[in-house]
Amino acid sequence: MYYPMFYFDPTYILIVIGVVICLLASMKVKRTFTKYSTVRSASGLTGRDAAEQILHGAGIYDVRIEHVRGNLTDHYDPRAKVLRLSDATYHSQSVAAIGVAAHECGHAIQHATNYAPLTIRGAIVPIANFGSAIAWPLILIGLLFNSQSSALFLNLGILAFSAAVLFQIITLPVEFNASGRAIRILRGTGLLRKEEVDSAKKVLSAAALTYVAGALSSILQLLRILILTGGRRND
Ligand SMILES: [Zn+2]
């Protein structure tokens, strides 16, 4: 009788490592954001004001700025062309708020200028969602049933999971580029003073770390699947 993974599974350590990395990154971003959200910027602009100035400065007038509930829920929605800023950003005059607002504007500018990684990421979203939904069912079918088509199910499951991993990886240049743009704009326009830009940079670097952690943990999950299915894929 073959028990694929209900007994002690040492590859589970890869999942644990991924979870720990993500937790640490999320703690780091929360701590950094909290620290600089108490530092009021000299300009006295709110996150919303800063976003509006940056968008207009980039010649973008067709992106709405809205308020969204939640903690660190700020995002740019390319389909609706809406930039949503959270409680801690929209009304806040802090250096952290202006940094985050500028980062989201970075995404709006990527969209307006057809920045290729953003376009590719947008195209991958449905495939990645579908892939992560069907990956494990396919893999389990492949592992549990010992038949001629086991290897086929396993390989399809791995392919599906890889689509989700690819999405996480293509997210990295998109996020790093948005932060790079944000810092250049904040520095260039004088929306923040020099030492304030350094603080905003710390917030955005911490945020970028969460995306790196997410990508790493999904790569570790893929690695685990490859190990778990190794001997059976070539049956
Ligand atoms: Zn972003």
Side-chain angles (χ1 to χ4, degrees), residues 78 110-111 114-128 163 166-171 173-174:
Q110 288 174 337
H111 188 210
N114 294 316
Y115 175 66
L118 184 77
T119 315
I120 298 169
R121 190 177 73 154
I124 292 178
V125 171
I127 306 165
L166 186 67
F167 172 79
Q168 301 261 19
I169 292 171
I170 193 81
T171 293
V174 175

Side-chain angles (χ1 to χ4, degrees), residues 4 6 139-146 150 232:
F6 303 118
I139 291 164
L140 286 176
I141 291 170
L143 284 175
L144 291 172
F145 300 101
N146 224 338
S150 281
R232 313 244 304 162

Side-chain angles (χ1 to χ4, degrees), residues 69-88:
R69 282 167 184 279
N71 198 7
L72 298 175
T73 46
D74 309 76
H75 64 276
Y76 170 67
D77 177 350
R79 281 205 269 178
K81 284 199 162 191
V82 176
L83 198 155
R84 300 196 179 92
L85 300 176
S86 68
D87 301 329

Side-chain angles (χ1 to χ4, degrees), residues 103-104 107 175 178 211:
H103 170 94
E104 299 309 333
H107 287 308
E175 293 304 326
Y211 290 101

Side-chain angles (χ1 to χ4, degrees), residues 126-166:
I127 306 165
N129 286 340
F130 183 64
S132 58
I134 62 163
W136 272 109
L138 286 173
I139 291 164
L140 286 176
I141 291 170
L143 284 175
L144 291 172
F145 300 101
N146 224 338
S147 74
Q148 293 270 305
S149 43
S150 281
L152 175 69
F153 278 110
L154 291 176
N155 285 317
L156 281 176
I158 287 163
L159 192 69
F161 198 88
S162 302
V165 175
L166 186 67

